[in-house]
Amino acid sequence: MIDWPNVTASGNQELGLKPEELQKSKCVLGFIPVIYYSILLSIGVPVNILTAVALCRLASRTKKALYYYLLAVTASDILSQLFIIFVGFLLETAVFHRDVPALLLHSVSVAEFAANHASIWSTVPLTVDRYVALCHPLLHRQISYPARARKIIGVVLATSIASGVPFFWWSDMWRNSHPPTALDAVLIWTHVTIIYFLPCSIFLVLNSLIIHTLRVRQREQRCQEEQGTKSVPLQRLGKTTAMLLAITSVFSILWAPRTIVVIYHLYVSTVHRDWRIHLAYDLSNMLAMLNTAVNFFLYCFVSKPFRSAVREVILLRGSPLYSRRALPQQQVPTNASISSLYSGNSKRFQRDFTPLSPHGARKPS
């Protein structure tokens, strides 16, 4: 049973405690968050490392910008797990009970927010890349290539690190007894804008345009089939779009409760004084951190090349399939990029980049 605090005046006198101590909310979940985060860390870090190795193989073989963006998302998830889950939740909170120097607490807070921002905003260039690939394929072949992808990823990571610096002054919601100050309000609104409202708005707009474009193409394909003309199937583009929609949708769902709770803490009731808000904040953090470990399963469910690469990593062997296809792949320009996870076969490369054979040419007499 949990011993709930009594905040009445008579209770204050009987227990002989300070009012702020009696008003402090209890942790309803007890050791459940510690067990949850330990399991999530023990599963999420190895899974993300496996994902990173598999994506490195695919990126080196195919030279597609897509895999570099996915690799950046995975690396950012690993940093989030290490700084937020391991250092923040397990070491500082569960082991040391936040009884560490204030400078160290605030420095770790900067690292946590920087890793969090990097994990979320690494998905934005991926979404933009998919939008350009599906809606403007000719432009995508010109502007999407590994060197540019690495530069974009570098800019995102540098911006994420810089955006974490203001959160050096982030207050401890669990332990601060005073109401949120004006600085707290600025930091909270900056936080929810960076990690939720702004990226979700970008995801919503670009994903809506992608879905609209695919629907138009599907209608055109049906018309061409009814007229008896040949058309390019859209199955692969649809599966890649499904993966992108799954990644962004899972993020939006898992991070929504935490965003709501943080705003509620700012304007209605604080985490420190209301055990219900304390419980909601703990559960919302657990849901949000789950987002750092689910992408591996989404990739496995959607992408056959990714499943093959994971199988090779687990079995500690290379793939002869890709070595046989390496020759046509090398003839592709370095700035050429294909617009789906499933465009890994060399037939499409040969169709797009190999000159047509002169079957219809007449022999000179």
Side-chain angles (χ1 to χ4, degrees), residues 62-66 68-69 129 139-153 333-338:
T62 62
K63 304 299 181 183
K64 298 177 187 176
L66 170 64
Y68 288 90
Y69 292 128
D129 182 79
L139 177 63
H140 181 262
R141 291 188 178 183
Q142 298 176 3
I143 67 173
S144 181
Y145 50 89
R148 174 167 290 180
R150 289 192 293 266
K151 293 179 181 178
I152 294 175
I153 292 170
T334 56
N335 63 340
S337 177
I338 305 302

Side-chain angles (χ1 to χ4, degrees), residues 23-26 89 93 98 105-106 109 112-113 167 169-181 183-192 195 257-267 269-275 277-282 284-285:
Q23 291 177 356
K24 182 178 179 181
S25 61
K26 294 291 184 179
F89 287 120
T93 304
R98 313 286 286 188
L105 282 177
H106 292 295
S109 179
E112 290 175 352
F113 280 96
F167 295 93
W169 293 274
W170 180 266
S171 62
D172 191 343
M173 292 185 180
W174 285 292
R175 289 165 178 79
N176 283 349
S177 58
H178 60 77
T181 63
L183 177 61
D184 293 333
V186 172
L187 290 177
I188 286 175
W189 275 109
T190 303
H191 174 59
V192 297
I195 62 102
R258 186 182 186 279
T259 304
I260 296 173
V261 171
V262 169
I263 297 176
Y264 192 90
H265 159 86
L266 178 61
Y267 291 107
S269 181
T270 62
V271 173
H272 179 82
R273 296 189 176 187
D274 193 337
W275 68 268
I277 308 302
H278 194 149
L279 174 62
Y281 191 58
D282 287 340
S284 63
N285 281 328

Side-chain angles (χ1 to χ4, degrees), residues 4 29 41-42 51 67 86 117 134 139 162 171 212 250 275 287:
W4 301 109
L29 297 178
L41 192 68
S42 61
T51 303
Y67 292 119
F86 180 67
H117 297 169
L134 296 176
L139 177 63
S171 62
H212 174 72
V250 168
W275 68 268
L287 281 177

Side-chain angles (χ1 to χ4, degrees), residues 220-264:
E220 293 176 352
Q221 182 179 359
R222 294 193 195 100
C223 294
Q224 292 176 357
E225 290 176 352
E226 292 175 357
Q227 296 174 0
T229 58
K230 294 183 179 180
S231 60
V232 179
L234 299 176
Q235 181 180 2
R236 291 179 179 176
L237 297 180
K239 287 185 176 181
T240 304
T241 306
M243 184 200 68
L244 174 63
L245 294 177
I247 294 174
T248 55
S249 299
V250 168
F251 161 77
S252 302
I253 293 172
L254 294 181
W255 276 91
R258 186 182 186 279
T259 304
I260 296 173
V261 171
V262 169
I263 297 176
Y264 192 90

Side-chain angles (χ1 to χ4, degrees), residues 28-46:
V28 180
L29 297 178
F31 287 98
I32 293 178
V34 178
I35 299 173
Y36 171 82
Y37 287 125
S38 300
I39 296 174
L40 184 63
L41 192 68
S42 61
I43 295 176
V45 171

